[in-house]
Amino acid sequence: MYFDPDSVHTISEMMIGGELRQGTSIHPVASPSRPSLKHDIGWADATQVNDAVLAARNAFPEWSALPPRDRAKILYRFADLVDANAEEIARLESLVSARIYSESMARDVKVVSGVLRYFAEFSDKIEGSVTSTPSNSLSMTVHEPHGVVAAISPWNFPIILSSWKFAPALAAGNTVVLKPSELTPFSAVRIAQLGTEAGLPNGVFNVINGDGQVGGELVRHPDVDYVTFTGSSATGAQIMADAATTGLKPVSLELGGKGPQLVFEDAPDLDRLAAMVARGITYNSGQVCFAGSRLIVQRQLADDLTRRVADLMSELQVGPTWGDTTTMPPIINKKQNDRIAHIVEQSIRSGAELLCGGERVETAEGEFYKPTILNVSDIDNAAVCEEIFGPVLAVQTFDDFEEGVALANHSDYGLTASVHTRDISRAFKAAQDIQSGTVWINDWGRRTDFTAPFGGYKKSGLGKDMGRPGFEKYLKSKAIWLEID
Ligand code: NAD
């Protein structure tokens, strides 16, 4: 066992104006690995949402006027404190999410500190331009922070996805009100405390807790200047509507996905490929926006590849996030596991062939679902259309390039896609033809790399997180004109 879940201390308060404040209603948060283990969290009411936004508003003039290099220094200290407290943060993360502790330590916490350092470096590299005007005038374009940024994050990678928002927003000179998911709130407030310890002035980084209603209050608040969101496409659409009717504030949305693994018969290294396909749908038990949930494979390779993937899936070991032999973590809660089971049943009823899995893992504690493969021929099948957010792989076969690419192009989603072939020109043509924000060639998954922007096409989102675009969106531009006499 990596840690004793009974000994983890959680903070039930929020961070408003640099101080811990208890919410007005108390709610239990269950550990998905052991639902009987619960920790209380206080949720904000409308007055407290207002307090957090006003704290951020009042802190904005000082923070945005700070010499940019000083902002960078504080963010570097913040990153160092995150690293110094890695074990505590990883335990808080793994206690209530599906993140296996060893991954929280090896990846998630390091991403947070790495992202803070990466964006700290942008702080003093905000550069404007002088445009080409007649000699009797001077026109400059300058970039300014928006003001108060509302950041709303989901439960599947709580601290990573929160840091993708607060780190660049702060580096650009904005102040932040973060609302983590009500299912995974504890790591965010601890990280905000470390920010204060690092020197962030009070009110620069606030954390409020609550469900979608609290998130809605935040989005609609008139003093919020920009909304950055990661979550489901349905919530993203609601947020866009709310932001449009309460101030026309800009939004960026990182939403759902239904990633294809498009495999041609000449794909290299079948062992490596099978491992990638298996991992692509079982990593974090499939609770990944960029999961490779559709295997679209050229007919002659289909049986061999599917069998290899099923063999690898059978080796996975379900268990609690704190278990040192766990390779498949729990599903976040019963509601989500019911939804997975329902879609699988629906898919089989409408003609899909079950190749493996297709049922829950019955254990004394926690919700688990067996890695599942469904052979699907009908493009309207639920396993092909719906984002399941569980370890369920839909397999479709194709004969030629056009058919494969047409299947890869999902009618709604376009977050990520993988293309596997030895033929570089075919790979590139497929990458051009697939409507998706990211295309991996002979690869799957985000590396611990901060430079590549990430964001979807179609209902998978609007705008990018990470990379230069993931920083620049936290700035607005202004043209300043001077007439020369
Ligand atoms: P969700 O949309 O239910 O909730 C996300 C967050 O929004 C939570 O903090 C929630 O409290 C809040 N929220 C809910 N309703 C709201 C409203 N009306 N106004 C404001 N806030 C509201 O999503 P989830 O179940 O937490 O996360 C899973 C989804 O997130 C999946 O669809 C997944 O694909 C997507 N996701 C996308 C990315 C990406 O980068 N594209 C990354 C991870 C997850």
Side-chain angles (χ1 to χ4, degrees), residues 142-466:
V142 298
H143 302 286
E144 300 175 336
H146 292 283
V148 177
V149 169
I152 300 179
S153 55
W155 49 261
N156 59 337
F157 293 90
I159 48 171
I160 290 185
L161 296 172
S162 297
S163 73
W164 284 13
K165 300 181 181 310
F166 69 71
L170 293 173
N174 300 278
T175 55
V176 171
V177 181
L178 168 67
K179 194 204 79 63
S181 168
E182 61 275 31
L183 303 178
T184 53
F186 297 116
S187 45
V189 74
R190 183 67 191 113
I191 286 176
Q193 272 187 319
L194 296 174
T196 305
E197 203 180 317
L200 288 178
N202 290 344
V204 167
F205 185 12
N206 307 275
V207 175
I208 57 167
N209 288 316
D211 61 359
Q213 196 181 329
V214 177
E217 303 267 7
L218 179 60
V219 169
R220 293 188 296 272
H221 195 291
D223 257 313
V224 165
D225 301 298
Y226 186 96
V227 180
T228 173
F229 170 75
T230 299
S232 64
S233 299
T235 306
Q238 180 62 50
I239 284 176
M240 202 169 174
D242 280 352
T245 49
T246 54
L248 261 184
K249 27 190 101 111
V251 295
S252 63
L253 307 169
E254 296 290 332
L255 309 176
K258 191 72 192 173
Q261 300 266 19
L262 179 59
V263 178
F264 291 93
E265 40 77 27
D266 66 340
D269 194 345
L270 281 194
D271 286 336
R272 178 176 173 269
L273 172 60
M276 233 173 340
V277 172
R279 184 172 162 78
I281 191 60
T282 56
Y283 180 64
N284 214 34
S285 282
Q287 301 166 111
V288 179
C289 56
F290 56 84
S293 50
R294 296 181 294 138
L295 173 59
I296 298 166
V297 52
Q298 205 152 11
R299 197 172 303 280
Q300 50 271 51
L301 196 59
D303 287 345
D304 185 7
L305 181 59
T306 312
R307 201 173 40 249
R308 287 172 193 247
V309 173
D311 286 348
L312 290 168
M313 284 176 162
S314 69
E315 291 168 12
L316 293 167
Q317 178 82 39
V318 299
T321 54
W322 46 79
D324 50 17
T325 56
T326 302
T327 48
M328 261 197 77
I331 302 300
I332 190 74
N333 55 25
K334 181 167 185 316
K335 186 173 163 210
Q336 175 60 12
N337 214 12
D338 287 346
R339 182 173 177 272
I340 295 170
H342 174 73
I343 297 176
V344 170
E345 281 160 25
Q346 198 185 342
S347 164
I348 294 170
R349 256 203 320 277
S350 49
E353 178 196 1
L354 181 66
L355 298 184
C356 68
E359 57 185 355
R360 293 159 199 264
V361 182
E362 298 301 341
T363 61
E365 293 179 311
E367 294 283 335
F368 296 90
Y369 201 84
K370 286 192 180 161
T372 297
I373 304 182
L374 294 162
N375 229 342
V376 184
S377 50
D378 172 12
I379 55 165
D380 296 325
N381 189 284
V384 167
C385 302
E386 300 267 337
E387 183 190 42
I388 301 177
F389 232 53
V392 181
L393 181 68
V395 182
Q396 296 168 282
T397 49
F398 67 93
D399 291 308
D400 59 28
F401 180 88
E402 281 70 29
E403 190 187 3
V405 167
L407 288 173
N409 274 318
H410 193 276
S411 55
D412 287 337
Y413 293 117
L415 187 60
T416 59
S418 293
V419 179
H420 303 273
T421 173
R422 278 199 174 86
D423 181 338
I424 186 66
S425 119
R426 176 152 68 179
F428 207 74
K429 176 90 174 79
Q432 285 176 330
D433 290 354
I434 294 174
Q435 293 303 302
S436 175
T438 294
V439 179
W440 292 296
I441 294 173
N442 296 325
D443 202 2
W444 169 86
R446 265 196 76 86
R447 298 181 182 279
T448 314
D449 178 285
F450 310 125
T451 59
F454 188 74
Y457 283 14
K458 306 189 221 178
K459 288 185 191 165
S460 288
L462 188 68
K464 303 284 177 186
D465 274 344
M466 299 306 294

